[in-house]
Amino acid sequence: DSGVTQTPKHLITATGQRVTLRCSPRSGDLSVYWYQQSLDQGLQFLIQYYNGEERAKGNILERFSAQQFPDLHSELNLSSLELGDSALYFCASSVIGTGGFNEQFFGPGTRLTVL
Amino acid sequence: DAKTTQPPSMDCAEGRAANLPCNHSTISGNEYVYWYRQIHSQGPQYIIHGLKNNETNEMASLIITEDRKSSTLILPHATLRDTAVYYCIVRVVNQGGKLIFGQGTELSVKP
């Protein structure tokens, strides 16, 4: 158990819908990262937040957005869903946001299926 | 894009050492080498990291060549539970904490 929790574990929805994925980082971790893992793209970094502020952005679609709240939990919002958004979405957390050493602890993931 | 190259798959006999190679010929002087693994569809798990010296922890050893252009992750006594995809990652220091995953090596430990 990494200490990172993600809800829900599974999510099945229809095209065009909007969903929210939730992540609670390990106690004391200030950074939260979101990754997407699909069969054809592998593990891709989406976005990072550090202490409530966006720190880095990766291949995140404009239909996707995220935020980190004062209690440090984070939510990833996916809207206008398409079939290709079906994937595993992982959240990870770490103590610090930059620097040479940055061990990230990953949650169990949310499996999103868009029908 | 990932800055590392790994063989797509490897086999290892249970109880033997598993040596997983990684090439990172364009690594910069202040970039670290990280290894993570992903068992089935679970979240990736940190294994070990290093800058230029060899490192060892309870899970594995990391051997980095003197020119830092390649490294080897060693699982000294592989078990069936070590069957996973192993990712070698070079940390891009100035682009935040993100990890850029390549395709990794799928290690199959066989009885």
Side-chain angles (χ1 to χ4, degrees), chain A residues 33 35 37 43 45 48 88 90 97-104 106-107 111, chain B residues 32 34 36 38 41-44 46 49 87 91 93 95-99 101:
Chain A
Y33 312 78
Y35 293 83
Q37 185 172 33
L43 265 164
F45 167 74
Q48 176 199 3
L88 267 170
F90 289 106
T98 59
F101 174 54
N102 187 26
E103 179 182 346
Q104 293 185 21
F106 283 77
R111 182 175 293 278
Chain B
Y32 286 72
Y34 290 80
Y36 281 76
Q38 185 176 25
S41 294
Q42 299 177 22
Y46 165 82
H49 75 284
Y87 297 98
R91 171 74 159 59
V93 176
Q95 295 183 18
K98 67 181 179 181
L99 298 171
F101 290 85

Side-chain angles (χ1 to χ4, degrees), chain A residues 26-67:
Chain A
R26 294 187 322 150
S27 176
D29 285 359
L30 299 179
S31 261
V32 170
Y33 312 78
W34 287 97
Y35 293 83
Q36 178 193 56
Q37 185 172 33
S38 59
L39 283 175
D40 56 343
Q41 295 290 326
L43 265 164
Q44 301 258 319
F45 167 74
L46 294 179
I47 197 164
Q48 176 199 3
Y49 278 81
Y50 176 74
N51 204 21
E53 294 188 1
E54 183 182 305
R55 176 60 65 93
K57 228 172 186 178
N59 300 322
I60 187 166
L61 300 172
E62 286 191 11
R63 300 184 285 107
F64 296 181
S65 65
Q67 57 184 132

Side-chain angles (χ1 to χ4, degrees), chain A residues 36-39 83-89 110-114:
Chain A
Q36 178 193 56
Q37 185 172 33
S38 59
L39 283 175
L83 296 178
D85 298 326
S86 296
L88 267 170
Y89 291 84
T110 293
R111 182 175 293 278
L112 173 66
T113 302
V114 182

Side-chain angles (χ1 to χ4, degrees), chain B residues 5 14 16 22-23 33 77:
Chain B
T5 304
E14 188 178 18
R16 304 295 296 268
C22 178
N23 287 320
V33 179
H77 304 288

Side-chain angles (χ1 to χ4, degrees), chain B residues 17-33:
Chain B
N19 297 284
L20 291 92
C22 178
N23 287 320
H24 32 78
S25 59
T26 61
I27 191 170
S28 299
N30 59 351
E31 289 180 317
Y32 286 72
V33 179

